[in-house]
Amino acid sequence: MANPRLRALSRCRKWAKKDWAITAVGFTFILFALTLLFDSRNSDTPSPTIDHHSTQGLVPLTLLNRAKATGAFCLDGSLPGYHFQKGSESGSNNWLLHIDGGGWCNSIKTCNVRKGKALGSSEYMDRLVPFAGILSRHPSQNPDFYNWNIVKIRYCDGASFAGHPESEFKNGTKLFFRGQLIWEAIMSELLSLGLSNARQALLSGCSAGGLATLIHCDEFRDHLPTDATVKCLTDPGFFLDEPDILGNRTISDFYHDVVQLQCIFPHQIIKNVRTPLFIVNPAYDFWQIQHVLVPVGSDPRGYWKRCRLNIKECDSSQIKILQGFRSSLHKALSKLEKDKEGGMFINSCFVHCQTWMAETWHSPNSPRINNKTIAESVSDWYFNRKPPKKIDCPYPCNPTCHNMITPG
Ligand SMILES: *[C@@H]1O[C@H](CO)[C@@H](O)[C@H](O)[C@H]1NC(C)=O
Ligand SMILES: *[C@@H]1O[C@H](CO)[C@@H](O)[C@H](O)[C@H]1NC(C)=O
Ligand SMILES: *[C@@H]1O[C@H](CO)[C@@H](O)[C@H](O)[C@H]1NC(C)=O
């Protein structure tokens, strides 16, 4: 077939059984930041005293006007957006991109809900956002990237910037599935702002943005000068395709629906990333425990009700199951452990997305492995300083964890 659209449409349906079996994709959920609290009791050191008002500049939203030309719209048809802070001095030609997380929508109904929220429409996005953690302008919070050009890419397509318009207008609804086009429009804008001359660059993302990072990492690399240093960081973007506690394949059914709905091509997800990759991943990823291992429907008697929200409430048989989940993660990561250019920070904490918060990225009491913060470990890898693979001992051995708690 000569028509690329038609070719795309036919490819859209070609997910074989083995594709599903080896797919590892990620999601996060919108309530994350709203409902969770750090368990500071788990740490022996006092809470970090970071003054958010003086250390986190607010950065304005830029709407992507050039998206009109290609129809690269958010789910509701609005323009996508990003926040940009220009680099200075030694960082002027270096670029750090961070893609937001926010789960996926797997049905017309759930995608429609997003049309009325920032995750599906720029109408609802905050016009000013703080830049913290890996985005921070302050060397004390962000020792190696603070003066780079820093871009926070807003997520509004519901499918990790991987959907294709071939799957639109199902059953007469008006939803735009244009993630791939949004990605291309954002790249084109940033390249024109100086990314095309980058000397050093790092593409990163949290959760669904971590998956987008995996999907687009090599494309990103190919846009930049061949002699530039280009690497990618997912936090986390590496999600397990594991059965739940009843043995049902809850999460793989969910992936299946997202892929079918937004017409994601297998080659976008199932491939080896050529570009050097660093994985930040808690061994007991909070989101995965709640959505992969113990989804709500898997626990009708409420036996896991407290444990799935707070690891300190887990009994010994539940901890055993969590240790099994950790082993599956380590097994899945074993290939990357052998990769000389890859790096990892797999801490035994109950948390999700640790790079964009000052407290977990780099602060006096942030999580550490071998006494290194995530920021220090990522820098050691990015700048080829030290052996970059850090794997923690099993829970509850690490007192530096910031374990999440959802108020029950
Ligand atoms: C479209 O409608 C049909 C019939 O009501 C239903 O079976 C199908 O799942 C719907 N498709 C989507 C994508 O919602
Ligand atoms: C999950 O597994 C149980 C027991 O094997 C079964 O009874 C139940 O119907 C399954 N639930 C779903 C949603 O597939
Ligand atoms: C851990 O690192 C900090 C500096 O980041 C240092 O002050 C401290 O002495 C180190 N602790 C150990 C046990 O090495």
Side-chain angles (χ1 to χ4, degrees):
M1 276 178 280
N3 182 331
R5 283 271 160 106
L6 286 178
R7 197 163 61 233
L9 191 55
S10 67
R11 292 189 82 146
C12 183
R13 297 169 191 284
K14 267 195 207 147
W15 276 73
K17 276 228 172 69
K18 78 168 171 32
D19 294 337
W20 296 111
I22 61 172
T23 302
V25 289
F27 316 94
T28 184
F29 64 114
I30 183 171
L31 294 178
F32 173 72
L34 301 176
T35 58
L36 305 179
L37 300 167
F38 280 125
D39 177 9
S40 53
R41 286 169 298 167
N42 200 39
S43 173
D44 292 328
T45 37
S47 291
T49 48
I50 289 168
D51 179 344
H52 290 260
H53 296 290
S54 67
T55 61
Q56 296 174 7
L58 294 174
V59 182
L61 177 71
T62 303
L63 291 176
L64 194 64
N65 276 310
R66 73 176 64 215
K68 280 182 204 144
T70 52
F73 301 127
C74 297
L75 283 170
D76 70 330
S78 62
L79 291 174
Y82 64 92
H83 304 257
F84 174 50
Q85 174 114 228
K86 205 165 160 39
S88 62
E89 297 168 6
S90 63
S92 341
N93 289 318
N94 298 340
W95 287 74
L96 186 141
L97 276 55
H98 187 84
I99 309 174
D100 271 351
W104 288 27
C105 55
N106 69 333
S107 65
I108 296 288
K109 194 170 153 214
T110 55
C111 290
N112 257 326
V113 169
R114 286 183 180 229
K115 283 165 79 171
K117 299 178 187 247
L119 285 174
S121 169
S122 55
E123 307 275 324
Y124 299 90
M125 289 176 189
D126 287 338
R127 264 42 196 173
L128 288 170
V129 299
F131 271 22
I134 196 172
L135 303 174
S136 170
R137 265 282 177 259
H138 293 267
S140 62
Q141 256 191 59
N142 195 17
D144 285 296
F145 306 117
Y146 71 94
N147 64 0
W148 288 28
N149 294 283
I150 297 180
V151 184
K152 178 183 170 77
I153 298 173
R154 298 301 292 260
Y155 175 43
C156 69
D157 66 289
S160 288
F161 296 105
H164 291 262
E166 283 76 12
S167 63
E168 274 170 19
F169 306 116
K170 279 179 177 155
N171 293 354
T173 57
K174 193 148 183 163
L175 276 168
F176 295 85
F177 295 138
R178 305 208 171 165
Q180 179 68 34
L181 291 173
I182 297 175
W183 169 257
E184 287 162 16
I186 286 177
M187 276 300 104
S188 140
E189 176 119 336
L190 299 180
L191 288 164
S192 76
L193 290 175
L195 177 64
S196 59
N197 297 317
R199 302 308 315 143
Q200 297 185 303
L202 178 61
L203 174 65
S204 69
C206 143
S207 202
L211 179 65
T213 299
L214 284 181
I215 292 173
H216 296 293
C217 179
D218 288 341
E219 288 168 44
F220 176 68
R221 203 288 145 247
D222 293 343
H223 278 303
L224 302 190
T226 48
D227 61 347
T229 301
V230 183
K231 303 192 180 188
C232 297
L233 164 68
T234 75
D235 167 38
F238 194 87
F239 285 62
L240 295 177
D241 182 9
E242 284 281 295
D244 66 27
I245 49 170
L246 292 179
N248 293 330
R249 308 209 60 89
T250 307
I251 201 67
S252 86
D253 291 348
F254 184 81
Y255 299 163
H256 187 277
D257 293 345
V258 174
V259 163
Q260 291 284 320
L261 181 68
Q262 292 231 24
C263 192
I264 295 172
F265 307 160
H267 69 83
Q268 287 184 297
I269 291 180
I270 300 163
K271 62 179 177 191
N272 292 316
V273 177
R274 283 181 273 122
T275 309
L277 180 68
F278 193 101
I279 296 185
V280 175
N281 207 120
Y284 316 95
D285 180 73
F286 183 87
W287 189 90
Q288 292 191 70
I289 300 305
Q290 298 196 352
H291 294 80
V292 178
L293 188 64
V294 198
V296 172
S298 69
D299 182 35
R301 293 202 196 137
Y303 171 61
W304 282 79
K305 191 168 170 227
R306 286 149 63 132
C307 163
R308 67 196 285 283
L309 303 178
N310 179 355
I311 196 165
K312 283 191 164 175
E313 300 273 0
C314 302
D315 65 25
S316 57
S317 66
Q318 290 166 330
I319 290 289
K320 208 169 149 196
I321 292 170
L322 295 181
Q323 303 300 19
F325 191 80
R326 171 176 179 266
S327 304
S328 300
L329 174 70
H330 286 184
K331 215 174 286 168
L333 289 172
S334 59
K335 195 171 156 222
L336 192 78
E337 270 174 66
K338 291 180 203 117
D339 171 8
K340 284 199 184 66
E341 300 201 293
M344 55 178 78
F345 187 99
I346 311 297
N347 53 345
S348 288
C349 306
F350 189 61
V351 64
H352 184 71
C353 286
Q354 302 175 90
T355 56
W356 61 270
M357 281 181 283
E359 292 82 353
T360 43
W361 171 246
H362 187 71
S363 75
N365 75 338
S366 50
R368 288 167 189 257
I369 303 180
N370 302 343
N371 202 28
K372 292 266 186 175
T373 63
I374 298 173
E376 290 165 340
S377 307
V378 168
S379 291
D380 285 350
W381 159 80
Y382 190 89
F383 300 103
N384 304 317
R385 287 175 196 149
K386 294 264 170 62
K389 299 191 180 70
K390 299 204 166 71
I391 296 187
D392 210 352
C393 48
Y395 177 86
C397 71
N398 189 338
T400 65
C401 280
H402 286 238
N403 293 320
M404 302 308 256
I405 298 176
T406 308

